[in-house]
Each structure stands twice: as structure tokens, then as C-alpha cells.
Amino acid sequence: MKNNIISICLFFFLMLPTVSAKTISVKSPGHHKDIQPNLQAAIDKAEKGDWVILPEGEFLFSKSVIIEKFISVKGAGLKKTILYRSEAIPDSVMRGQKWGAILIFDIRSDKSSGIIVSGICFRSKKPSVVRGDGGSRVYSTGVEMNECVDFLIEHCRFEYFGHAGIYVIHNDTLARGLIRKNEFYYNAGAGSGYGVAVVGTNDKWVTDPKFGSSNFIFVEDNIFDYHRHSIAADGSALYVFRYNTVLNNVAASGGHAIDTHEARPGEGRGNIFGTRAVEIYNNKLINTTYTYGGQIKKGVQTGLSSLEESGIAIRSGEAVVYNNEVQGYRYAVTLSNWFFGGTPQPYPVLYGIGYLSGKALGPSHSGTEAPMGDGDVFIWNNKVSPFLEDEWNIFPPFYNDEPGWWKEGRDYHLVPKPGYKPFPYPYPYLSKK
């Protein structure tokens, strides 16, 4: 407990503004004119700890701005400063190397950055959800954070990105960052489409992810509306998803709201390990429509097969999942593995649920206490209803899609994780004013 208090106090200290910090204002090019050159010039001029301030207005944004320094970027408000990709820009142009994310923080450092992004609406071309619907098929991103420690993204809006509103790449062993009080809308590209995507550097399967610590990417107090996955992760990712509201996560069938990608051997470096560990709690997931778009209606039993199957899907690593309210889905939480798809696999499944305890102790072990519970999934006190009325647990709140691989009491447990305590809420991050 003493060590936790010391680390939190140290974190507060690191987030305090430095005396030498300057404010650099970005000159407006005019309404609906390209602001990218002016912003890049301000970034180039800025030094560590400086603030770059965007003006009020709607501004075209060509190419990407790359930031390699500990500087913060602030707009006039998510409804007042809008950076957008024009619908007139061809997909072939936007697929170019210089047209990735709108802002790319290419930090690659293990030092505390104190970087803040706030008060901006980021918008791309409206993406295609179904091939042939006329939308863009560009793998676009709003803000990319590349190995950036102790960042904060708050009070922003992300809409129409084919890949992700926010894309976080963290070091496998160092994952401190906070994404809070943002709006995510229609980031739902065909075959992709996430509000937030989190990946590790994919070099190491961390032995102990330290549940209840600050060493995760925290996503809290946000609103997500219409996505394929509101959050997705792989490559040894670590994230905490808490106190969020997720609406109509029906952009694609099978697009559960909260996702953890499994290991996918042979599919490239991004999927060697799958997601390492997650904490998912105190979220509200609400679908008001079926996957085909019709309104969910109580008593229409024939429509239940068109409900999105699961609000939360755990497919890799270990997790604690509790106190979530899930409406308009068939299940609150599902254990599954898309890649292996039920094909015979030796126990334990590669970097999957129960992998650590299974690898160490074999298939005959059982129990929740360490080391028997190391690497397991703990799920408790989640509620589900297919309708908006609070008739909870009409369906089972939990479903194991691979009973041949994962056994209750061995790989997963429908009880609280022994000794687990969540990190303080709200996240103790001091914004610079």
C-alpha cells in the first residue's frame, strides 16, 4: 500500500507543468483551409513541455503531423476545433505513407512524457462498413501514440476512422496512459474499425501484468457509438476499460463491443502473443438495434437470433471482468478463440486463457490461488438483458464457446480474483492548465 501511495504521488509530481513551458498559437489559414502546414511549423518550433494551441474553426487536414517531442496539443473544444480529411480526397491518395494518422506522436521513450491532447474533433472520410456501400476503405486513424508513457487524451471527438479513433502502441512491459471523457462515433471500417486499438511492441509475454497497478492503458468515462469493436487489442497489449458507455455496437456481425484478440501464429508480428491482460469493469453496453438495423423489441422472440452475441469477448491472456451492465446482447461475457475456431489444440492453448497456469501445472490442476490461478480469467457480477428493461440475466451472463479447451475452476473462475484491488478511480492524472 505504501509503495502505491508513493508511486501515485510521484506521478502527480511528474504531471505538474514545467516553469519554462511556452504556449505557441497556430495561425488560422481560414475556414475549411488546410491547417496542416501551420500546425507542423508550430510543432517544429516547440520545445519539451510546450503547448501548441489550435484556433477555433473547421480545418482541412492534409497528410500527417509527426511529433517526436514531449509537447501537448490543445484545441478550443471538440465542437469548436475540427480537423478533417476531405471526402473529395481519393482513397488512393490517402493510402500514401504520409496520410496515416492525423497526429502521430512518435515518441519511443520510457520517460514520463506529460503529453496532453485535448479539445479537438478529429474526422476522416466516412468509412465503408459493407463493401459497395460507397464509403471509404482507407485504414485511417485519428491519433497515434507510439511508445509514449504517461500521456492524456481527453475531451476530444473521433469520427469516421476506418482503423481506429486512437491507436496506442506501448512497450510490452510499460503501458501507462489515459484516454478519458472523449466521444467516439462511427469508427467502423470494413474488416477493422475500432474506437480505441491497443497493441504492445509484441516482443515479450509479460510474466506478471500487475493487476490493479497503473501499468495499463486506461480508457475511462468515454462514450462510444456505432463501432465494430469499441476497443480491440493484441500483441501483448495491456488495457483497463472502465466506466464507459457503449451504444449500438452493431457495425458488423460478430463485432462484440470489448475485444481481446487471440494469438494468431503466421499472421505477422502484430498477433504473435495476442492480448496479454485486461481489466473490464463498471461499463454500460447498450444496443437498441439488431445487427440488421431493426429496433429491438421486447416480446419479439424471433428477433433474438439477430442480437449481437456478446458485449465482451475474452480470447487471449488473462482478465478480470466484473460489474458490467449489458443490454441488447445475448451474453455479457464470452470466452472464444476466432483463429483456431474450435479445431483440436493441445492444452494449454497458445497464449490463451489459462495459459500460464496450464503451462506450469498441466491439465489436471485447479484452484484460484497463485500459482494455480496465474494467467486465468476471473468473471463475476455481470448483468445481461436482451431488452432495455432491467430484467437482468434473461440469458446467461456468461458463455464459454470452447468448453473443450477451458474448464471452470481451472482456466476461468466465476468468482472475484483473490487479492485483486482496482487502481484508484478516477485516474490520478493532473492536467496542466
Side-chain angles (χ1 to χ4, degrees), residues 245-264:
T245 299
V246 176
L247 305 173
N248 288 318
N249 211 105
V250 292
S253 181
H256 37 270
I258 303 173
D259 176 72
T260 61
H261 280 38
E262 64 278 272
R264 300 179 186 178

Side-chain angles (χ1 to χ4, degrees), residues 277-349:
V278 296
E279 300 178 34
I280 301 167
Y281 56 92
N282 291 342
N283 301 288
K284 291 186 177 181
L285 282 55
I286 302 170
N287 281 348
T288 60
T289 63
Y290 296 107
T291 54
Y292 64 83
Q295 292 294 307
I296 295 174
K297 295 182 180 179
K298 185 175 181 179
V300 183
Q301 297 297 317
T302 56
L304 297 184
S305 62
S306 295
L307 289 170
E308 186 60 73
E309 182 178 272
S310 182
I312 303 162
I314 305 300
R315 302 192 275 169
S316 177
E318 59 188 300
V320 293
V321 185
Y322 62 97
N323 292 356
N324 298 286
E325 297 183 2
V326 179
Q327 296 177 313
Y329 296 79
R330 297 187 69 182
Y331 308 107
V333 186
T334 296
L335 302 184
S336 64
N337 189 302
W338 174 86
F339 184 79
F340 292 124
T343 56
Q345 294 293 318
Y347 180 84
V349 177

